[in-house]
Amino acid sequence: MPEEALEVDADVIVIGGGVAGTVCAHQLAQAGKQVILIERGGQPGAKNLSGGIFYCRVMEQVFPDFVGEAPVERRITRNVLSFLNPTSHFNVDYWDQRLADPVNAVTVLRAKLDAWLAEQCEDAGVMVMPGIRVDSLLFENGQVVGVKAGEDELHAHVVVAADGVNSFIAQQAGIRAKEPAQNLAVGVKSVIGLPEKVIEDRFNVTGNDGVAYALVGDCTKTAAGGGFLYTNKESISVGVVLRLDDLEAKGLTSSEVHDHFLGHPAIAPLLRDGELLEYGCHLTIENGPAMAAHDLARPGLLIIGDAAGFTLNTGLTIRGMDLAAGSGIAAAKTIIKAFERGSYGQQDMDDYKKQLGATFVGADMKTYAKAPNFLEVPRMYQDYGLLLTDIFHDIYSCDTTPRKHIAATAAGAFKRSKVKLLTALGDMLKAARAL
Amino acid sequence: MTIFGDVTQRLAGNTYVVDEQSHIEVNQEIARKTGTGKLLVRVCPAHVYSENEDGTIGVLFAACLECGTCRALASPDALTWHYPNGGFGIAFREG
């Protein structure tokens, strides 16, 4: 059947109203395309949960005053990297007012942000259909021509799968097989309500500014993964991310690890007298570069955001939403070009790879391809934190025994640590190359 | 230390639109043979799965937070898991 004869309900159907899906739908509508955005949640955002940091500069390409207009929580000007041990922590605490102008990163709560993004889509002419679960793709002669939801069928020239980390659509299309457990992690998160004034005083921030903690070590009972703590306007997003293979291997209970972290003597005081507003969890991607190495397109189909594997843990920054937005923009460009040609086959869809390569999304996925491998080093989650605090303990603990110079103090700590000096130097070199 | 309640109490504060129909099914025999059953009890952050006295796995599907951890870790064919019907299941207010 010639494509011109295909009866369509819209030019493009986007599955999933997260950051990737809404950004893509919005860009397409702005270019004059008829777009249907299908979301399984009763309201856009109802199914979405993220740690909460959005490196949001990319959003200026879509909404020029994103930070001013969108419901964002706080502008992150302080970043704390924390090695957490059972009775100590070692923090790298970096505050920089330059991160506020222009705003580099914000905390967000997805139920609020995604609802706003969906509204922007509607204003741009997208038909947003919430409360509908897409069950499968419709194929005709090997080409994706629409979606099936219950008894209903909807047809379009192109379908965009933005249905998240569990993407049933990408699996059905044969793009993704079952993901190995080491490529995935579960995030278990609590949102703890606290008055604005308490947050400002407790975290030493003022106005709209906020702080983001990334923690490794005892927060996960030394399982691969980490802890996070982000300040919102009137709440704290706090929780753990646990790599599935290690969670299984170490015999840990995910909710207990979460509780252990929130009750840790270094964390509990930050949450004191707070009120639990919500407990949630979400599967997340640990090895984005490996996942995104899959195909990203089929005739009439593109996959974007988490569905495609666009998440990056660089050790210091954990990114997903910015890559989701970037891939949504690249997909929209690809589709707009395909419409100019009037053809939506594999070749047309494969232009997406080129579009991605021209953006920070493709470039960063390449740059950080070795990061997941490096972050597998178990020393990261156990030994380095203890080693660092041992050195500083010996420096600060003036217990009337004779003091030593720093070099000798460090050498002594190394001697007691499981980590050998050469191993540590090797890890540093690897880190410099991978991160 | 401020206590935020056990998992059941925490989930009680969430908003759910509960369907009559379960979106999760455990193949008891395979779950038992492969050890998937016990694994699901541990890894599910919402405590959807529990081990009954007779060793079968109970499923409290209404508590599900739809993360997909169980699906990612279950042995082949031990678990049938899909998203709840449109509009049903967890409705995050914060996210």
Side-chain angles (χ1 to χ4, degrees), chain A residues 333-349:
Chain A
K333 279 189 183 149
T334 308
I335 293 166
I336 291 163
K337 280 187 157 188
F339 270 93
E340 283 166 10
R341 288 189 294 266
S343 134
Y344 318 101
Q346 185 70 47
Q347 228 180 334
D348 304 287
M349 297 295 105

Side-chain angles (χ1 to χ4, degrees), chain A residues 289-325:
Chain A
M291 282 173 67
H294 293 260
D295 294 344
L296 299 171
R298 287 286 181 269
L301 177 74
L302 292 177
I303 57 171
I304 62 176
D306 269 3
F310 290 129
T311 300
L312 277 174
N313 178 0
T314 73
L316 301 177
T317 58
I318 298 154
R319 296 165 47 192
M321 290 180 267
D322 61 325
L323 302 164

Side-chain angles (χ1 to χ4, degrees), chain B residues 19-75:
Chain B
D19 202 350
E20 289 171 13
Q21 193 190 341
S22 176
H23 61 286
I24 305 170
E25 260 175 63
V26 175
N27 181 314
Q28 298 291 350
E29 204 186 315
I30 300 176
R32 194 198 309 247
K33 247 193 276 175
T34 56
T36 282
K38 284 184 198 298
L39 175 62
L40 298 186
V41 174
R42 280 200 291 110
V43 296
C44 172
H47 294 195
V48 164
Y49 304 93
S50 58
E51 192 173 1
N52 298 321
E53 269 177 35
D54 62 359
T56 57
I57 300 300
V59 180
L60 192 66
F61 74 91
C64 180
L65 295 167
E66 298 165 34
C67 66
T69 298
C70 53
R71 175 172 171 257
L73 282 176
S75 297

Side-chain angles (χ1 to χ4, degrees), chain A residues 399-404:
Chain A
D399 59 359
T400 73
T401 60
R403 299 293 83 202
K404 290 180 186 139

Side-chain angles (χ1 to χ4, degrees), chain A residues 64-117:
Chain A
D65 185 24
F66 175 75
V67 174
E69 288 176 13
V72 301
E73 296 289 319
R74 287 180 183 272
R75 304 158 187 219
I76 298 304
T77 49
R78 200 179 140 214
N79 290 276
V80 180
L81 170 68
S82 180
F83 293 88
L84 197 61
N85 308 307
T87 57
S88 62
H89 65 201
F90 184 92
N91 290 350
V92 179
D93 188 337
Y94 162 62
W95 170 81
D96 198 328
Q97 200 52 49
R98 285 177 298 180
L99 294 174
D101 188 21
V103 176
N104 172 66
V106 291
T107 38
V108 296
L109 291 163
R110 296 292 297 279
K112 297 166 192 178
L113 175 69
D114 294 5
W116 181 85
L117 288 170

